């Protein structure tokens, strides 16, 4: 069967990451694809890895060329592609198992010119995380939309989270420029010229950050990198100034300050001294092209840097750049220090005055919660020094209502049992924070309470569900409408046995779009999930962590509604995976499975 998707993967010096990348492509749930591996003259062992994949999987094909760069390699792959759809992947990244399926299903339904999806970022020093820049434009699944309706799609500047309809690509005579930072000029023009695009909210792609010097975006010291970045920005501005709406135009001009000028500034402070004048000139040229009337959305500090670059004030630009890079200011003269002395003394006096204040906010920590004879009881630990805890008086409120307080002294502070009648809590809507107030002689400690996810218990009262919740770091409760509860959980072999608060119905294990949920019937308050049938056919969402997380819902006449876990969850090894039934922060029940820990 002819491929419908052509996935084009140029590679050069990616031996460390390449096998993982190709493995995630091979595991796609949609198999009508070819994967064109374009060897861009790679001198390391990447070519051997490509050869091994081509020998064991006929969908992988190798194309070889002399080293010409990423843009040229992508164009070589495009010329050899046989599919109706094109996708361009970077050889050091990962792709989610359902990516091809989700993208092609959307385009087959909508007829749009291309589809784009949310992504993950994999930083060097932090766990994997959804890209914050993509969160808003990809907040929901939309078909046949455009940048005119969603102006924040101008942030969608990468090549690899998209599936392109080949006819759109060829009719528009698109090609990747043979330079670095080639993505933004192409994707920006595509968004502006497309009649319709689809957006998918599920992250499908892991964008891996690599050490400085190993990737194009990380080669900040390289003058040619800065030159190509500024050249790409000029190409974007040419397109935007000709085709974009005023709103998109302002967003792009500000974005170039927030992202591209910022990166040029980073290059400025880390580059070799001989290259600094050239980089300063490039910053000046970029600032000259950006419209002063269109930078109001940029960060204030970067607006100041933009103004300095525009006026060729290299001293101010370098100072701001060094500060952003954490390098501090260059050594000050004695005259500068003398001028600064009065303000420094004033700042110190202000800090000392604040420290001497008698009202000191302090957080308590939730250590336990329970129901007792119609009351909600929260045990809170309050850290206090020895002198304060001996004469401390504690009061507390929940949503403004006074709570009963029983305190006992501990070696590190106080343990307080705070209780309140559940009925007034249930009859009041909205979030109700738990606040504590401690008086110890002249000192007055006021603050909030913190909690972890496994402490957010809930209960039924007066026809409502009252649920523990943490918002903006503060613990409290929130009243919700009556919900279905999982009251008991038990594992028998590979069967997960649930006792629910409803006598009958259909329990649904939610699956990522476009898959339909797995249905389990509820009889006499009981439901049985056969894990050996569910787990093997359920690929993980995240190709880096290999974790799948599935919400449990109850199907009703008006739609699927969340189920909450009112009992202790369960964790066990089933089908070679660690399987867990757990409650989210709001108590919503999830069935998750992940690789077994050794």
């Amino acid at each position: 069967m002819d491929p419908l998707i052509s996935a084009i993967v140029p590679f050069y010096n990616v031996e460390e990451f390449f096998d993982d990348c190709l493995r995630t492509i091979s595991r796609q749930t949609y198999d009508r694809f070819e994967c064109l591996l374009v060897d861009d003259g790679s001198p390391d062992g990447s070519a051997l890895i490509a050869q091994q994949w081509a020998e064991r999987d006929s969908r992988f094909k190798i194309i070889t060329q002399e080293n010409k760069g990423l843009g040229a390699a992508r164009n070589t792959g495009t010329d050899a592609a046989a599919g109706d759809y094109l996708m361009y992947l970077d050889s050091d990244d990962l792709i989610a198992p359902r990516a091809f399926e989700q993208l092609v299903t959307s385009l087959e339904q909508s007829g749009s010119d291309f589809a784009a999806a949310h992504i993950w970022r994999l930083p060097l020093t932090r766990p994997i995380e959804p890209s914050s820049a993509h969160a808003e434009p990809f907040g929901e699944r939309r078909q046949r939309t455009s940048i005119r309706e969603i102006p924040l799609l101008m942030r969608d500047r990468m090549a690899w989270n998209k599936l392109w309809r080949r006819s759109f690509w060829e009719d528009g005579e698109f090609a990747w420029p043979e330079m670095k930072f080639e993505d933004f000029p192409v994707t920006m023009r595509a968004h502006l010229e497309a009649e319709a695009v689809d957006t998918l909210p599920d992250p499908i792609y892991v964008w891996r950050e690599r050490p400085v010097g190993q990737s194009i975006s990380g080669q900040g010291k390289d003058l040619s990198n800065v030159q190509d970045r500024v050249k790409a920005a000029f190409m974007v501005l040419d397109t935007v100034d000709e085709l974009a709406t005023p709103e998109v135009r302002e967003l792009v001009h500000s974005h170039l300050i927030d992202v591209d000028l910022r990166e040029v500034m980073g290059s400025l402070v880390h580059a070799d001294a001989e290259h600094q004048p050239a980089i300063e000139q490039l910053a000046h040229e970029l600032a000259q092209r950006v419209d002063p009337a269109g930078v109001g959305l940029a960060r204030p500090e970067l607006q100041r840097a933009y103004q300095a670059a525009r006026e060729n004030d290299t001293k101010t630009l370098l100072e701001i750049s060094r500060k952003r890079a954490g390098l501090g200011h260059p050594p000050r003269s004695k005259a500068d220090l003398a001028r600064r002395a009065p303000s420094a003394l004033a700042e110190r006096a202000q800090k000392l005055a604040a420290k001497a204040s008698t009202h000191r906010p302090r957080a308590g920590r939730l250590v336990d919660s329970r129901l007792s004879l119609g009351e909600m009881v929260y045990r809170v630990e309050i850290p206090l020094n020895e002198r304060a805890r001996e004469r401390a008086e504690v009061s507390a409120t929940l949503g403004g209502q006074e709570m009963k307080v029983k305190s006992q002294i501990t070696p590190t502070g106080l343990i307080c049992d705070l209780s309140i009648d559940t009925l007034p809590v249930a009859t009041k809507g909205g979030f109700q924070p738990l606040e504590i107030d401690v008086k110890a002689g002249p000192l007055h400690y006021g603050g909030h309470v913190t909690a972890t996810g496994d402490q957010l218990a809930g209960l039924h009262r007066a026809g409502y569900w009252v649920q523990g919740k943490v918002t903006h770091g503060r613990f409290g409760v929130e009243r919700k409408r009556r919900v279905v509860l999982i009251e008991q959980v038990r594992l028998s072999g590979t069967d997960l046995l649930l006792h629910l608060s409803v006598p009958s119905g259909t329990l649904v294990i939610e699956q990522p779009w476009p898959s339909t949920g797995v249905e389990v019937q509820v009889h006499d308050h009981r439901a049985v999930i056969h894990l050996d049938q569910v787990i093997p056919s359920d690929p993980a969402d995240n190709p880096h962590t290999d974790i799948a997380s599935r919400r449990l819902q109850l199907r009703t006449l008006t739609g699927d509604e969340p189920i909450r876990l009112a009992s202790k969850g369960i964790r066990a090894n089933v089908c070679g995976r660690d399987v867990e039934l757990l409650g989210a922060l709001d108590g919503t029940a999830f069935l998750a499975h992940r690789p077994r820990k050794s």
Side-chain angles (χ1 to χ4, degrees):
M1 186 178 294
D2 292 336
L4 193 63
I5 296 174
S6 292
I8 298 161
V9 189
F11 64 91
Y12 181 86
N13 273 1
V14 287
E15 183 177 6
E16 180 181 353
F17 310 102
F18 198 24
D19 192 61
D20 288 341
C21 170
L22 301 187
R23 183 178 295 107
T24 64
I25 296 173
S26 72
R27 292 177 175 176
Q28 290 299 301
T29 56
Y30 183 87
D31 63 2
R32 283 192 61 190
F33 72 87
E34 64 174 356
C35 183
L36 305 178
L37 307 176
V38 184
D39 184 352
D40 190 33
S42 182
D44 69 347
S46 301
L48 177 60
I49 295 172
Q51 185 63 40
Q52 291 170 344
W53 276 97
E55 288 175 355
R56 65 174 177 256
D57 191 331
S58 61
R59 297 173 299 182
F60 290 81
K61 303 176 178 66
I62 300 175
I63 303 170
T64 303
Q65 68 174 33
E66 295 180 0
N67 180 246
K68 297 180 181 179
L70 181 58
R74 284 177 177 167
N75 293 333
T76 297
T78 304
D79 293 340
D84 294 339
Y85 297 100
L86 304 172
M87 191 166 188
Y88 300 93
L89 309 176
D90 281 358
S91 51
D92 54 351
D93 293 334
L94 307 171
I95 188 166
R98 287 185 171 89
F100 289 0
E101 178 187 4
Q102 291 181 326
L103 290 165
V104 77
T105 300
S106 186
L107 288 178
E108 291 282 277
Q109 290 178 355
S110 69
S112 293
D113 297 315
F114 65 93
H118 200 352
I119 67 169
W120 288 286
R121 294 196 65 167
L122 181 54
L124 285 171
T125 58
R126 300 192 308 275
I128 191 169
E129 59 193 13
S131 166
S132 58
H134 290 70
E136 289 183 82
F138 294 97
E140 61 182 275
R141 185 165 64 89
R142 305 178 182 91
Q143 292 180 315
R144 298 198 65 78
T145 186
S146 73
I147 197 170
R148 294 171 290 280
E149 296 178 16
I150 310 171
L152 285 177
L153 282 173
M154 45 69 56
R155 294 179 183 170
D156 180 36
R157 57 189 285 173
M158 306 304 184
W160 25 248
N161 63 331
K162 301 173 181 60
L163 186 66
W164 307 86
R165 191 177 296 277
R166 185 171 188 150
S167 57
F168 169 74
W169 188 267
E170 293 179 344
D171 290 347
E173 299 181 348
F174 286 94
W176 300 101
E178 296 187 13
M179 55 182 284
K180 301 166 188 173
F181 306 103
E182 75 292 337
D183 296 37
F184 200 12
V186 173
T187 56
M188 190 73 252
R189 181 165 79 89
H191 269 300
L192 291 171
E193 292 186 356
E195 179 182 338
V197 303
D198 297 348
T199 63
L200 281 64
D202 293 336
I204 66 158
Y205 193 88
V206 176
W207 177 20
R208 185 194 301 272
E209 182 180 319
R210 291 166 61 189
V212 172
Q214 288 192 15
S215 64
I216 291 174
S217 59
Q219 296 169 359
K221 295 182 180 180
D222 189 340
L223 176 59
S224 67
N225 241 47
V226 183
Q227 291 169 333
D228 278 358
R229 180 180 286 278
V230 173
K231 180 180 177 181
F234 287 175
M235 295 168 69
V236 168
L237 288 169
D238 289 342
T239 302
V240 165
D241 291 347
E242 178 185 356
L243 300 176
T245 64
E247 184 175 7
V248 170
R249 186 175 182 275
E250 182 181 19
L251 284 166
V252 171
H253 279 248
S254 293
H255 185 71
L256 289 172
I257 300 304
D258 271 344
V259 176
D260 295 88
L261 179 62
R262 179 197 68 200
E263 292 300 315
V264 173
M265 292 164 61
S267 301
L268 178 63
V269 296
H270 291 111
D272 297 334
E274 62 183 297
H275 291 155
Q276 284 189 350
I279 295 175
E280 289 171 352
Q281 179 60 28
L282 287 166
H284 174 62
E285 292 173 4
L286 175 58
Q288 285 286 317
R289 270 301 306 271
V290 173
D291 185 356
V295 300
L297 301 176
R299 296 174 187 173
E301 183 182 49
L302 291 171
Q303 287 189 47
R304 293 194 297 272
Y306 159 74
Q307 194 62 40
R310 187 174 176 83
E311 296 172 358
N312 224 1
D313 180 357
T314 56
K315 179 182 177 182
T316 301
L317 178 64
L318 185 58
E319 283 185 353
I320 298 174
S321 301
R322 288 179 61 85
K323 182 178 179 181
R324 286 189 57 83
L327 300 177
H329 295 282
R332 295 178 179 272
S333 67
K334 291 183 178 180
D336 288 337
L337 293 174
R339 284 193 296 269
R340 177 168 170 74
S343 61
L345 289 173
E347 289 176 9
R348 179 169 176 78
Q350 188 176 11
K351 289 180 181 179
L352 289 173
K355 189 175 181 179
S357 171
T358 58
H359 185 88
R360 304 179 185 179
R362 178 168 300 196
R365 183 174 67 89
L366 183 66
V367 295
D368 190 22
S369 61
R370 66 185 188 275
L371 302 179
S372 177
L373 301 176
E375 289 188 327
M376 302 170 69
V377 182
Y378 296 109
R379 174 160 288 186
V380 175
E381 182 180 54
I382 304 172
L384 292 172
N385 61 37
E386 182 177 1
R387 184 178 179 184
R389 61 178 174 258
E390 291 293 337
R391 51 180 178 168
E393 298 179 3
V394 180
S395 60
T397 59
L398 183 65
Q401 299 180 61
E402 292 289 334
M403 304 184 73
K404 301 175 187 176
V405 180
K406 293 182 180 179
S407 302
Q408 63 184 49
I409 297 174
T410 71
T412 58
L414 297 178
I415 287 288
C416 301
D417 286 333
L418 314 176
S419 60
I420 192 169
D421 184 5
T422 58
L423 185 60
V425 175
T427 56
K428 182 179 180 181
F431 177 72
Q432 304 175 52
L434 176 55
E435 303 283 353
I436 54 175
D437 196 79
V438 183
K439 293 181 180 179
L443 298 179
H444 180 194
Y445 297 92
H448 58 276
V449 173
T450 62
T452 58
D454 58 356
Q455 297 173 308
L456 307 184
L459 74 154
H460 276 294
R461 191 70 162 99
Y464 291 99
W465 174 251
V466 180
Q467 173 72 49
K469 182 180 180 181
V470 174
T471 181
H472 302 301
R474 295 170 178 260
F475 172 77
V477 299
E478 186 173 59
R479 189 191 75 182
K480 303 175 183 291
R481 62 187 178 85
R482 193 175 182 90
V483 295
V484 178
L485 302 179
I486 298 175
E487 298 174 330
Q488 294 180 15
V489 183
R490 185 166 63 88
L491 185 67
S492 176
T494 60
D495 290 344
L496 190 60
L497 311 178
L498 308 179
H499 189 281
L500 288 87
S501 60
V502 293
S504 61
T506 301
L507 182 149
V508 179
I509 306 172
E510 190 179 42
Q511 298 287 297
W513 182 89
S515 302
T516 56
V518 177
E519 297 185 357
V520 178
Q521 295 306 309
V522 180
H523 298 292
D524 192 23
H525 295 275
R526 294 177 175 85
V528 180
I529 300 176
H530 302 293
L531 295 175
D532 58 344
Q533 299 176 15
V534 173
I535 303 301
S537 60
D538 183 30
D541 306 306
N542 187 320
H544 176 67
T545 61
D546 198 20
I547 295 174
S549 184
R550 307 288 173 246
R551 188 192 309 268
L552 301 189
Q553 299 180 303
L554 190 75
R555 182 145 293 164
T556 68
L557 294 176
T558 57
D560 293 348
E561 299 181 357
I563 297 175
R564 287 187 169 81
L565 184 63
S567 69
K568 187 177 181 180
I570 197 167
R571 185 171 186 173
N573 178 256
V574 181
C575 303
R577 304 272 287 176
D578 278 341
V579 181
E580 187 175 13
L581 182 68
L582 69 161
L585 289 179
D586 63 353
T588 303
F590 280 82
L591 180 66
H593 58 89
R594 67 196 73 208
R596 185 177 182 181
K597 291 185 178 180
S598 56

